[in-house]
């Protein structure tokens, strides 16, 4: 399984730290050329590889950490997203009326035709997301929601591999609403830093 993080701002870098802690290779890319990201990527760890946007999108699993308004630009790069898993770590404060009355992930998913689309890693602030998720035997919780039940399993496996405790919330418009930005109203689980003890 190959991984890429699209967007290398605070959230993208926080996710890169999670991969670096576990020595897992991940490609990072943004609208900037890879040379502009290389120094920061190398500073995070040797498994963080800066590449072009098009090269990064060859990965099996794509983590979206771009500003929400840019997701369609990313989606247009590939003619089809079939067989790709897209992890939506974005948030939007756009009013629902601007998103066809849909929550942000359901709206964004429409642009990634054929992808397995999962909302995850979006509810924590970057500084928290960047820190070690294992504390005193507990694992920091990340919430997963998707309209594709089969899509959540590999994302849950990745979350566990990175040291997090995945908690499935159901579909995007059900449990997923708990971790979505909705206009100016944030879901009640946004910014909640929760830990789960090992069974």
């Amino acid at each position: 399984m190959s991984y890429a993080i699209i967007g290398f701002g605070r959230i993208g870098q926080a996710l890169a730290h999670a991969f670096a802690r576990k020595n897992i290779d991940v490609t990072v890319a943004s609208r900037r050329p890879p040379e502009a990201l290389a120094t920061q990527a190398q500073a995070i760890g040797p498994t963080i590889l800066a590449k072009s946007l098009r090269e990064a999108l060859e990965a099996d699993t794509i983590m979206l950490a771009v500003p929400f308004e840019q997701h369609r630009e990313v989606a247009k790069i590939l003619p089809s997203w079939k067989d790709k898993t897209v992890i939506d770590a974005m948030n939007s404060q756009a009013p629902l009326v601007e998103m066809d009355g849909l929550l942000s992930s359901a709206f964004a998913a429409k642009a990634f035709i054929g992808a397995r689309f999962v909302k995850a890693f979006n509810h924590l602030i970057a500084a928290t997301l960047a820190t070690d998720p294992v504390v005193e035997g507990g694992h920091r919780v990340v919430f997963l929601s998707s309209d594709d039940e089969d899509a959540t399993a590999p994302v849950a496996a990745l979350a566990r591999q990175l040291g997090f405790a995945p908690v499935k919330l159901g579909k995007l418009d059900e449990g997923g609403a708990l971790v979505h930005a909705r206009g100016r109203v944030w879901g009640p689980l946004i910014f909640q830093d929760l830990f789960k003890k090992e069974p």
Side-chain angles (χ1 to χ4, degrees):
M1 188 68 69
S2 55
Y3 303 103
I5 300 166
I6 307 303
F8 205 50
R10 288 176 296 176
I11 293 294
Q13 290 181 35
L15 290 167
H17 277 282
F19 280 85
R21 269 192 301 275
K22 298 295 183 177
N23 293 311
I24 300 170
D25 286 347
V26 66
T27 298
V28 296
S30 75
R31 292 190 296 180
R32 293 182 292 158
E35 309 82 63
L37 312 180
T39 301
Q40 183 61 40
Q42 289 164 3
I44 294 172
T47 63
I48 313 305
L49 312 167
K51 293 187 180 178
S52 72
L53 200 48
R54 190 168 288 279
E55 286 177 305
L57 293 180
E58 293 174 8
D60 303 309
T61 299
I62 313 290
M63 306 182 88
L64 289 177
V66 297
F68 185 80
E69 299 73 27
Q70 294 176 16
H71 76 270
R72 280 184 279 210
E73 292 174 40
V74 176
K76 287 176 186 173
I77 295 171
L78 295 183
S80 170
W81 288 80
K82 190 175 184 300
D83 299 326
K84 301 276 187 192
T85 296
V86 175
I87 300 173
D88 175 14
M90 304 178 294
N91 285 306
S92 171
Q93 288 188 282
L96 292 187
V97 68
E98 292 180 14
M99 295 189 289
D100 303 331
L102 299 170
L103 295 174
S104 61
S105 282
F107 182 79
K110 296 195 303 181
F112 294 86
I113 297 165
R116 295 182 290 267
F117 201 89
V118 181
K119 182 79 167 177
F121 296 99
N122 72 297
H123 83 283
L124 296 167
I125 61 170
T128 301
L129 188 60
T131 60
D132 192 334
V134 182
V135 178
E136 296 179 4
H139 294 253
R140 180 170 281 117
V141 167
V142 291
F143 298 109
L144 314 181
S145 55
S146 178
D147 290 340
D148 182 348
E149 181 61 32
D150 294 337
T152 57
V155 178
L158 172 62
R160 278 190 289 271
Q161 195 177 359
L162 295 175
F164 294 91
V167 173
K168 297 178 185 179
L169 296 179
K171 294 191 173 185
L172 295 174
D173 65 349
E174 298 169 346
L178 299 171
V179 291
H180 282 254
R182 291 169 284 174
R184 294 186 180 153
V185 179
W186 296 90
L189 293 179
I190 290 279
F191 307 137
Q192 298 297 315
D193 188 13
L194 306 176
F195 286 82
K196 188 175 178 182
K197 288 287 188 180
E198 287 287 356

